[in-house]
Amino acid sequence: MTFFNDWVEYFPDLLGGLGVSLQLTLVTLLMGLPAGLVLALGAGSKNRIVRVVSIGVIEVGRGTPALVVLQLFYFGLPSAGMTLTSFVAASLALAFTTAAYTSEIIRGGLQAVPNGEVEAAHALGMGRGDILRFVVIPQGVRIAIPPLMGFAIMVFQATSLAYTIAMPELMSQAYSIGSITFRYLSILTLAGLMYALITIPASSLSNFVEHRLARHR
Amino acid sequence: MHEDAEQDRTAISLESVVKRYGDHTVINDVSLSVREGEVIAIIGPSGAGKSTLLRCINLLEVPDSGRVTVEGNHVDAGIQISHKDLVRLRRNVGMVFQSFNLFPHMTVLRNISLPQERVLGRSRQEADARSMKLLERVGLADKAQQYPSRCSGGQQQRIAIARALALDPHVMLFDEPTSALDPEVGLEVLAVMRELAAEGMTMVVVTHEMQFAKDVSDRVVVMAEGAILEEGDPADVFTAPTMDRTRQFLRAVLER
């Protein structure tokens, strides 16, 4: 019964941590997804410099583990004269990784828009910007939404990496309670359940959205 | 006198157009001139370059050499074509594709109104009024608020025609507009095209519909292997073709 006693006792602390994790996820996505769209458009640009820079950023972002980026931003940047709070460092680092990965997902979505529609828009005399804005992006992003939602769930889980830079999110709360009380098994089990409490409904939401979006196809 | 002058005005002129994909020459030095109000049917075996030639007219394909003139706007191949020239030339040209290419995420009404708003700068109200008029004309006013996926192929193609006409083109290009349709459904599209031809629209139609080519076109152009084999009055071309290759093709399509 100690399991349940521990859960009841430490649930409020972990709940606070879960709130921080969710905030970090939200801020990461709000910065990372638009940046991912910009990188996706950049990687498909006609301008060679824009294209090369975008692809470079994407490759570095995907090639570097999120944990390394996180530590670099928090522990590395102060040596370069830039000190960030753990929340800012964590959200910037995760947003960078998110942008790199989601740009590929979004690019896939944009490329899935039938070329015939783009040709028809050209034949109608619409400009390149209008074609992106009205034909390609609305459909491409719609195609990309289900995989993006899947990625958002992974970002939520990846926020646990922020425990390494002393951010009071769910994982670090669980870890510090565990290191004080040595009740690692019960506390980490509870933390795991609380992550699952968010991710499992989120997955079924993403399935539901996928079905809804398939309607006009 | 005045009528004659009107009749002789050239709507489209292709001069020595060449188009290559790598080593393969798809269009080999083709010249073609279309008068204002004329209806041209381009026929010929697949791979002859019919669609490519059509797509050179509105520069969806940019020729490697030659000159394209539509309604007095020239574009010379080989030099960088400015966006402005492209838009000016395309403003006079409507195009209808084999696969309709409607925007599936917009209602039928938005499909027709959006290009008017973006290309011609019409207000939403003006554009919608024009769209409804055209939808009525093609018999689909009741579909305005539907999505294209809820319409049959023949309906989608008529909507695509309405979308092109909404921009008041002087010339309409049709790239096998009935090839993706059941023969019966194709008839409703052909009926709209006949009407358009009767109203004096300049039309270039790549088609396998020989009856349409015979009945509606003023001139038939027969293409094979990237070149024009022969052209002339449909009655002459269909009954007394001069080239063996034409005879062979017509036998294949007419006697099946």
Side-chain angles (χ1 to χ4, degrees), chain A residues 36-47:
Chain A
L37 176 60
V38 170
L39 286 177
L41 293 174
S45 166
K46 286 218 151 194
N47 184 316

Side-chain angles (χ1 to χ4, degrees), chain B residues 16 18-20 59 61-68 75-82:
Chain B
S16 308
V18 176
K19 177 70 190 176
R20 291 186 203 92
L59 298 169
E61 303 288 348
V62 179
D64 292 298
S65 68
R67 170 181 258 204
V68 177
V75 168
D76 287 300
I79 48 171
Q80 187 73 40
I81 300 166
S82 77

Side-chain angles (χ1 to χ4, degrees), chain B residues 229-240:
Chain B
L229 281 184
E230 60 183 295
E231 52 182 304
D233 188 277
D236 297 339
V237 172
F238 280 104
T239 53

Side-chain angles (χ1 to χ4, degrees), chain B residues 48-238:
Chain B
K50 307 182 297 286
S51 290
T52 309
L53 187 71
L54 193 74
R55 292 157 60 85
C56 282
I57 296 175
N58 66 351
L59 298 169
L60 283 183
E61 303 288 348
V62 179
D64 292 298
S65 68
R67 170 181 258 204
V68 177
T69 311
V70 179
E71 299 286 334
N73 297 305
H74 310 283
V75 168
D76 287 300
I79 48 171
Q80 187 73 40
I81 300 166
S82 77
H83 180 70
K84 226 172 68 190
D85 285 346
L86 211 57
V87 167
R88 192 176 326 126
L89 185 140
R90 283 179 180 158
R91 177 157 295 190
N92 291 310
V93 187
M95 187 165 192
V96 174
F97 300 84
Q98 181 178 345
S99 50
F100 329 133
N101 295 340
L102 295 175
F103 307 130
H105 60 303
M106 297 178 198
T107 61
V108 167
L109 186 67
R110 281 313 287 157
N111 261 278
I112 308 175
S113 291
L114 178 79
Q116 299 177 59
E117 291 167 26
R118 303 306 301 176
V119 178
L120 300 181
R122 285 181 187 151
S123 71
R124 168 82 67 116
Q125 216 175 4
E126 280 175 300
D128 282 351
R130 176 93 169 107
S131 304
M132 285 312 297
K133 210 172 280 175
L134 284 162
L135 278 174
E136 263 159 46
R137 183 170 151 189
V138 299
L140 294 170
D142 55 325
K143 295 284 180 188
Q145 298 307 330
Q146 297 278 14
Y147 284 86
S149 59
R150 299 288 299 274
C151 303
S152 71
Q155 291 170 340
Q156 290 193 45
Q157 193 61 298
R158 279 141 70 197
I159 294 161
I161 293 174
R163 180 173 69 175
L165 290 176
L167 300 174
D168 304 320
H170 295 153
V171 171
M172 284 286 284
L173 310 178
F174 293 85
D175 190 2
E176 302 196 23
T178 57
S179 296
L181 301 173
D182 288 342
E184 274 189 325
V185 174
L187 286 178
E188 56 192 50
V189 173
L190 292 173
V192 171
M193 290 169 64
R194 273 170 208 271
E195 219 181 286
L196 207 55
E199 287 165 15
M201 175 65 79
T202 309
M203 292 163 63
V204 182
V205 186
V206 170
T207 186
H208 292 297
E209 303 270 0
M210 293 303 143
Q211 201 57 44
F212 179 85
K214 255 186 204 168
D215 295 352
V216 182
S217 71
D218 300 307
R219 182 156 45 118
V220 173
V221 172
V222 186
M223 282 188 75
E225 281 137 35
I228 293 178
L229 281 184
E230 60 183 295
E231 52 182 304
D233 188 277
D236 297 339
V237 172
F238 280 104

